[in-house]
Every structure is written in structure tokens, then in C-alpha cells.
Amino acid sequence: MIPIEPGYPTPLGATFDGEGTNFAIFSANATGIELCLYDEQGQAESGRYWLPEKTQDVWHGYLPGVRRGQVYGYRVHGPYDPAAGHRFNPNKLLLDPYTRQMHGAFQWHSAHFGYRPDDHAADLSFDDRDNAPWVAKSLVTEIAPSCTPGHWHLVPWQETVIYETHVRGFTLLNPEVPPEMRGTFAGMAQPKVIDYLKSLGITTVELMPIHSYLDEYFLHQRGLKNYWGYNTCSFFVPHRNYLFKRGSNEFREMVDRFHDAGLEVVLDVVYNHTCEGNQLGPTLSFRGIDNASYYQLMPRDKRSYVNDTGCGNTLNLRHPRVAQLVMDSLRYWAGDMGVDGFRFDLATIMGREENGFSDRAPLLQMIAQDPLLSTRKMIAEPWDLGPGGYQLGHFPTGWAEWNDRYRDTVRRFWRGDKGIAPELARRLHGSSDIFEQRGRRPYASINFITSHDGFTLRDLVSYSRRHNEANLENNNDGHCENHSSNHGAEGLSNDPHIESLRRRQQRNFLATLMLSQGVPMLLAGDEMGRTQLGNNNAYCQDNEINWLDWRLRDSPQSLVPFVQKLLAMRRRFHVLQPNRYRHQPNHNTPEGIQWLNAEGKLMRDEHWHESHNQLLGYMLSEWHETAGKRMLLVIFNASDLERPFTLPLFGKGKWSHLLNTAMEPVDPDQPELMAGSKLDVTEHSLQVLVTEWLPSALTVGANA
């Protein structure tokens, strides 16, 4: 057997230098670490070596002759003392946290637990069975070349339109993807797929988790799958099932194809917890390497985990080595794989310090000062389940945040709730009440009506209650309050009046989203009228509930042309792509936003307090090089009755219709409307009008 040499403590992971491989792994509390080598099939152990050196809590060794393709794993020795936070068990073969590729597929087996599951002492017992036959193992790889600057594509924040989708669900039933590539990165990279995304007018594809992940044990017992992927086992390895020929370079090739088409790629990443769960979870990697360092433990009961994630454990991101792991992972995906940005699941955890959340937490500052990551888009899901976990608006300058207050307000307005107009205006304005006072820009607000978590757009107007029976949790999972309405019948309906109203409401939601200040995010399939049959927590449904049915694209319920029209309008009017907050226009600042009542006059304080009012005018002004002053007027009517609206007076201006959600499509021969005339706004509808002229006055007329 080749003798192992001391090697080097950096970089972490397995590094092939052309002659041999250096192995380095962090563990502050281990007493010894064995490196186990396996044959090409990953079954028979071919060698075992004690790592000979420990430098600043990094164990390391160098093996001459070990080349790329070598299968390996670790067995880590130390105390098994859950009460003290230590769960070392050398009978468990562990995955290298820094591996770039994995060999074989994980299989659930009771031997993965560090304790005897059938013992009455639970995790205080000790299991001496070897789990090696059932684990995916680490693989030595070459370091990929960093993404060249020519391939990196960045869309200005104010022009960004996000499309949230899932690699498997988006391609699995797509007839324009070769059958063998469906459900993979190679399928996403197909020209017809990219052509479709481009045709919509979106700029940025946000992929749900693609890091390697596992099904939770309780799902395995129920015969279900973790479809969403928020259960990470490796922060550097793409999920096995998304690879066509099992090569990590397939992800990079997909990113390059998107960049060639002018599209960005953003990854939804989960650095708040891992797949090892709570104290009764398996020992697969971090728990067995150094449980007390990698995880936040309860101060007075180190047997238990802090569970600010609701997933059983919380990564200890305040530990410098754990923060380093996150930073190294981010740099890998941004640098080697060319990713343009990241959406951080339960991002409040990244800013948690001993006394609560801080936008100056070490990890957030590390990202801000990093030469590579500081150039990428950072998006926070600004909450977690811990104390003070809701932090919308409190992330650092430069970050954007999922705005659930936007989602809930728009849903409630179009549902017909009374007294929503003031809150709606704040959300349409890019939530300046939340972001502007902190020096943030409108694009800090990621506006969305739907996301992977909750109802689809069609279900939002078809169901008043969740229907999650297929999750086998007695319909007790998912959100209770969805601010939805079934408009007269729960679920599918053959009533033409109900279906017509549902389609109009979907158009209302989409138009509101695309006409708001801030960055819009569209959920994949909403433009086609996709349904999940009322399931608002379809995380474990790897079936037709989640897979996008591409037959809907050309069906009567498809909204694809409508979305294309909206996004073309958004590009046409730069006032819909603001890089700063606009307020009341004046002679010094002609571009701005005004709020109008039914008489076409500026809203006054007393108008905002009319709780019964469900009619609102939203007027945006901009200066165009050739058209002069251009006014965009959006009229919202969420009431059950048709309401008259007086078009504002602007010199001799005439108003032209651009959009009317009550009509499908807008009649192109519809005559222009004179300023000052009354427009009948259909119930449950939104209308958009435009006027262009060279004015002498820059604000609403004398009666405003």
C-alpha cells in the first residue's frame, strides 16, 4: 500500500494535482479521521489511511498516484456523547462536504442512523453497523476552469423579470425535448426550451434547488419523494437525477446556452439546514464529521438542535469554517459554473447573531466584500421560523427580497376585500415604505403573486381551501390562509360564467404584477393556466401535480400571449423599469407617480379612508425623446359593479387603450378617448391607457 504523505490543509476537499491527490477535511472535535478508498464500482474497499496531519483543525494527507475518478469516503473517530453535542461514529462512511461529484445512488437503510432506531434509548444508543453499501460516495475530480468573463451575463436589476421553475417539472413532459433528456439540465438547454423562455420576454431563470439532495426518511416510508429539493446533502454537487450522462459539466453547459441567449441563471440555494434532520436523523456527513461545529445546538441541551428552519436542524453559520463552506460553495457556482445570482432559502438565518438578526452579520459582510460574489444578484427569502424571523426590508443594500406583503395585498385586493386601496398603492409603488428609507431601490422588492410554495395562479382563483390530501398529512400541511377565492365553485367548474371570471382574475393578477414598480417574478406554468388541483404544498409530489403539461400552452386557457403582451409593454415604458423611487411629479422632476380617484383627480387623505372604495387610478409619467410627455394610466376596479372613471385632463390629449383585462384581446380598432370623458370600467377588471403629447403643464389640471 502506498504510504500517505502529510499533504496540505488547503484547499479543503480532494485536490488532484496531476500526480496524486491531497485530501483535507475540517473537524475541530475529532480524535482521528480515516480516508477510505473504493474500487471503480464503489463497492469494495481498496485502501484505508489515517490522515497524518492536523493543522488549525483541518486534517490532511497526500496520496501519490491517486487520480481523478477515485471513489472515497471518510470515517471519523471521536466521542459519541449526544448530551455534549458529539455524535462521532466511525461505522458510518461519510460524504466529503467539499466533494464536487458523487458516485452511486443513496439508498435508505436503517444502518444510516448513528443509533439503534429500535432501541428504547433512541439516539443515546449506538449503532455499530456499516452503512457503506447504501451510501453515495465522494469522487476525486479535476477542478473545472472558472467561467470566462465573456460568458457571464448580467441584466440590470431594473430590467429583470424572473421566471421561477424546476428542472425536472419544466422539461419532463415537454414534447420538444428528446425523451432521454427530459428532466435534466441537458433538457433545459435545448434550443426550443430556451426559445420559449425568450419568447415570453423574461430575462432571468430562477431554478429551484439543484444541489444534491435526499428524500426525507418519513417521505421514503410513505412512498413519496422530495420533489422541491430543499433537503441538501452536498453544496457542491448537482443533483444526480438532473444529469443526463452523470457529468457536472452538463450544468455549466446549460448555463452557457442560457447566457448565449441573453438569459440569466439564478439558483435557489439552501444553506440554512441539511438533510440530516434532528437528533433522530441519519449520520451521513456533517453530523458525523463534527456535529458540534456544523450545527447550532440548544445551549442547555446539546443533544437537541436549534430548529429555526422547521426542518430539524440549523447550520451554525456563525462558525468560521461553516461560513467558509458556504462562501466556497457560492464562489464555485458563480465562478466555475457561471451562475448569475442566488435566491437564499430562509435567508434570515444568514444574518442571525447571538442577539438576533443583523444586516452586518459576518456572512452577509463576507458576501458584500467578495470580489466575485459582490457582482452577482443576491435575493433573500427574508424570514425564518425563529424568534424575530420576519426581516422583510432589513437586508443590506444591494440585496433584493421576496415581498410576501406584495403577494398578500394584491391577492386580497382582487379577492374583493375592502379598505385595501392604501396598502395596494404602497405595493404598486415598489413598497417604498419598506425599502426607500433604508436607501434601497425599487428593485429591492421581488414582487410575486405565486411561487412554488402555495397555489398556482389558476388554483388561486379556483380554490378557497387547500387540498393537500395527496401529501398524506391529513391535509394539515401548507398555508391555511391563501387570500384566494373559488368564485362560486370549489375546484374545476363547467359554469361558463365562473370560468370567464376566473380567467379575467388571472389576467388581473398578471397585469398588476407586470405594471408594478419593482422586479416581477412569474411562476412557471402560470402563463399556461397550470393547476395543482388545489395542493398548496406540493413539495412531495413528483408526478403530474407538479409536472408542467405543455399541452396547455396552446389550449383555450393559455395566457401565454397575454404575458408576452404585458412584458412587451413593460419594456416599452421605462417608467415600469425604475432604478429609483418616483413620487409626485413637478416642474423639476417631470417623471413621477400620481394616484387618482374616480373623478380623475388626485387622491386626497379623505379618499384613502373610504374603506368601501375598490376603484383606483395609478398614473405614471415619463419623458420620451420623440413623444414628449408620456402618461401611462392604470385603472383598477375590484368591485362587483361597473364603475365610471373620468380620464384626466392634459391639454388637448387623447387616451389610447393598451390593455383591458375584461376583453380578450383588446379591440385594436377601439377609438381614442378624449381627456375629460368618462370611461366605464368593467367590474373585476384592469385597464391601461396611454397618452403622449408635448405639454405646457406637467401635473394634473387645475381641479386636481
Side-chain angles (χ1 to χ4, degrees):
M1 195 164 69
I2 302 172
I4 190 168
E5 301 174 5
Y8 304 95
T10 58
L12 291 168
T15 306
F16 174 61
D17 64 6
E19 300 293 334
T21 300
N22 189 78
F23 296 88
I25 180 172
F26 159 76
S27 180
N29 294 294
T31 58
I33 297 181
E34 290 180 287
L35 168 67
C36 302
L37 305 183
Y38 286 81
D39 62 13
E40 292 182 358
Q41 289 71 42
Q43 296 298 317
E45 187 174 301
S46 59
R48 188 180 292 201
Y49 301 83
W50 289 94
L51 293 182
E53 295 289 338
K54 182 182 181 183
T55 304
Q56 296 179 347
D57 293 333
V58 174
W59 300 76
H60 51 93
Y62 179 86
L63 272 177
V66 170
R67 310 184 71 81
R68 60 180 180 274
Q70 175 65 58
V71 182
Y72 72 99
Y74 288 111
R75 299 183 185 274
V76 182
H77 296 254
Y80 186 82
D81 185 1
H86 301 308
R87 296 178 179 269
F88 296 102
N89 188 335
N91 299 292
K92 311 305 171 185
L93 189 73
L94 305 176
L95 187 71
D96 182 353
Y98 275 79
T99 189
R100 301 300 199 267
Q101 195 169 339
M102 292 159 62
H103 182 279
F106 174 87
Q107 302 174 57
W108 268 111
H109 192 278
S110 60
H112 292 312
F113 297 93
Y115 62 95
R116 298 290 303 191
D118 56 352
D119 194 302
H120 71 277
D123 61 308
L124 295 179
S125 64
F126 186 79
D127 186 276
D128 59 5
R129 290 174 295 169
D130 187 359
N131 71 332
W134 302 283
V135 293
K137 300 172 178 67
S138 305
L139 199 68
V140 176
T141 58
E142 286 187 303
I143 297 177
S146 295
C147 186
T148 59
H151 275 150
W152 178 47
H153 184 76
L154 182 65
V155 176
W157 260 121
Q158 65 269 21
E159 298 175 15
T160 302
V161 179
I162 297 172
Y163 188 82
E164 187 194 28
T165 192
H166 188 283
V167 170
R168 178 170 169 82
F170 193 68
T171 60
L172 198 63
L173 301 180
N174 190 331
E176 295 179 330
V177 174
E180 67 276 12
M181 293 184 179
R182 294 175 187 173
T184 70
F185 300 126
M188 286 293 295
Q190 290 300 295
K192 291 291 183 65
V193 172
I194 294 176
D195 288 346
Y196 172 75
L197 294 170
K198 288 287 290 183
S199 74
L200 288 177
I202 60 99
T203 68
T204 305
V205 177
E206 181 179 303
L207 298 176
M208 290 176 65
I210 59 89
H211 290 173
S212 182
Y213 64 87
L214 302 180
D215 301 324
E216 291 87 339
Y217 189 56
F218 72 88
L219 291 180
H220 167 72
Q221 292 176 309
R222 296 173 186 171
L224 297 173
K225 297 286 188 180
N226 185 319
Y227 172 80
W228 283 355
Y230 294 92
N231 201 40
T232 308
C233 67
S234 175
F235 296 114
F236 293 87
V237 180
H239 190 56
R240 173 185 175 88
N241 292 344
Y242 300 162
L243 299 173
F244 172 43
K245 293 183 178 179
R246 305 302 183 215
S248 297
N249 60 319
E250 293 175 28
F251 176 84
R252 168 68 181 273
E253 291 169 357
M254 178 199 71
V255 173
D256 286 346
R257 299 295 77 74
F258 274 67
H259 286 176
D260 290 343
L263 294 171
E264 291 181 314
V265 177
V266 168
L267 294 187
D268 191 340
V269 288
V270 187
Y271 294 113
N272 55 74
H273 74 281
T274 77
C275 66
E276 292 182 307
N278 63 14
Q279 66 269 21
L280 299 180
T283 297
L284 303 174
S285 183
F286 307 99
R287 171 172 285 140
I289 293 171
D290 193 348
N291 183 69
S293 293
Y294 275 108
Y295 294 114
Q296 293 185 43
L297 308 179
M298 297 297 291
R300 297 183 181 179
D301 179 16
K302 295 187 183 299
R303 178 184 176 187
S304 302
Y305 294 80
V306 172
N307 189 21
D308 290 341
T309 66
C311 298
N313 64 60
T314 304
L315 275 175
N316 185 15
L317 299 178
R318 295 198 295 269
H319 192 291
R321 288 295 186 181
V322 184
Q324 178 189 355
L325 173 73
V326 172
M327 292 295 292
D328 288 345
S329 172
L330 290 171
R331 280 190 287 257
Y332 172 72
W333 293 102
D336 293 10
M337 294 296 172
V339 167
D340 303 286
F342 302 90
R343 179 267 187 189
F344 294 87
D345 181 62
L346 300 181
T348 295
I349 285 169
M350 300 175 62
R352 280 196 177 273
E353 297 185 305
E354 291 185 7
N355 297 320
F357 178 85
S358 171
D359 62 358
R360 297 183 179 181
L363 184 55
L364 297 178
Q365 292 194 54
M366 291 167 69
I367 292 173
Q369 62 80 39
D370 186 86
L372 175 62
L373 299 178
S374 61
T375 66
R376 299 308 199 250
K377 289 179 174 172
M378 299 290 162
I379 302 171
E381 182 184 38
W383 52 80
D384 66 20
L385 302 184
Y390 191 73
Q391 293 294 330
L392 178 66
H394 294 153
F395 276 76
T397 299
W399 282 66
E401 303 176 35
W402 272 29
N403 191 343
D404 64 324
R405 287 182 61 180
Y406 177 94
R407 175 198 65 196
D408 293 348
T409 299
V410 175
R411 287 185 177 192
R412 291 182 62 204
F413 176 79
W414 285 116
R415 185 173 65 175
D417 292 12
K418 303 294 195 302
I420 303 298
E423 181 75 0
L424 177 68
R426 287 189 282 268
R427 302 307 139 235
L428 293 172
H429 192 224
S431 296
S432 58
D433 58 321
I434 297 173
F435 297 105
E436 188 176 19
Q437 62 182 346
R438 295 175 58 87
R440 312 277 291 278
R441 300 295 183 96
Y443 46 72
S445 178
I446 303 295
N447 300 329
F448 64 103
I449 308 295
T450 58
S451 69
H452 69 274
D453 188 3
F455 281 148
T456 66
L457 185 62
R458 178 166 176 79
D459 288 355
L460 184 64
V461 300
S462 304
Y463 294 89
S464 294
R465 305 182 306 276
R466 66 190 178 196
H467 295 268
N468 299 351
E469 291 81 6
N471 296 355
L472 305 182
E473 298 181 40
N474 298 316
N475 202 32
N476 291 323
D477 60 306
H479 298 295
C480 294
E481 178 51 74
N482 298 280
H483 307 298
S484 62
S485 173
N486 63 25
H487 298 289
E490 187 73 359
L492 302 178
S493 172
N494 293 321
D495 186 314
H497 174 73
I498 291 176
E499 282 302 298
S500 176
L501 179 55
R502 286 176 175 178
R503 287 183 55 76
R504 184 186 303 178
Q505 288 286 56
Q506 290 179 76
R507 294 194 294 271
N508 288 334
F509 281 121
L510 289 168
T512 304
L513 177 65
M514 299 308 175
L515 294 168
S516 298
Q517 307 285 285
V519 174
M521 185 182 79
L522 178 68
L523 174 64
D526 277 356
E527 76 278 14
M528 300 183 194
R530 185 177 76 88
T531 177
Q532 291 178 174
L533 302 178
N535 192 320
N536 75 347
N537 188 34
Y539 76 103
C540 57
Q541 300 299 322
D542 190 2
N543 50 46
E544 287 83 356
I545 290 177
N546 268 310
W547 304 338
L548 204 163
D549 184 353
W550 285 86
R551 293 174 299 182
L552 296 173
R553 176 173 48 175
D554 301 314
S555 70
Q557 66 195 55
S558 176
L559 294 160
V560 170
F562 187 73
V563 170
Q564 292 170 329
K565 181 181 181 69
L566 287 171
L567 288 176
M569 187 187 306
R570 188 174 178 89
R571 292 190 300 273
R572 175 182 170 187
F573 297 98
H574 72 262
V575 72
L576 295 175
Q577 300 178 326
N579 61 3
R580 57 180 176 81
Y581 281 103
R582 293 177 169 88
H583 296 279
Q584 179 82 11
N586 54 50
H587 291 284
N588 295 322
T589 309
E591 296 189 342
I593 294 176
Q594 296 167 294
W595 307 99
L596 308 181
N597 62 17
E599 297 177 354
K601 299 176 182 178
L602 289 177
M603 292 278 287
R604 298 192 299 270
D605 287 344
E606 60 267 27
H607 297 141
W608 292 113
H609 293 290
E610 295 173 348
S611 60
H612 65 281
N613 181 39
Q614 294 174 287
L615 184 73
L616 180 67
Y618 163 55
M619 190 162 65
L620 304 95
S621 57
E622 67 180 21
W623 187 264
H624 191 268
E625 292 180 359
T626 58
K629 188 69 173 289
R630 187 158 65 179
M631 311 296 294
L632 194 68
L633 175 62
V634 187
I635 307 170
F636 302 85
N637 181 14
S639 72
D640 295 329
L641 301 173
E642 183 176 271
R643 295 283 306 278
F645 188 96
T646 302
L647 297 176
L649 286 167
F650 288 96
K652 297 180 180 179
K654 294 182 179 180
W655 291 91
S656 301
H657 256 108
L658 293 179
L659 190 74
N660 183 352
T661 59
M663 301 174 63
E664 191 180 4
V666 171
D667 183 356
D669 298 323
Q670 190 168 354
E672 291 185 323
L673 302 172
M674 291 298 299
S677 64
K678 288 187 180 295
L679 171 68
D680 291 328
V681 184
T682 309
E683 68 275 10
H684 307 298
S685 74
L686 176 155
Q687 298 197 31
V688 183
L689 302 97
V690 65
T691 185
E692 301 173 341
W693 88 110
L694 293 172
S696 57
L698 297 176
T699 56
V700 176
N703 293 328

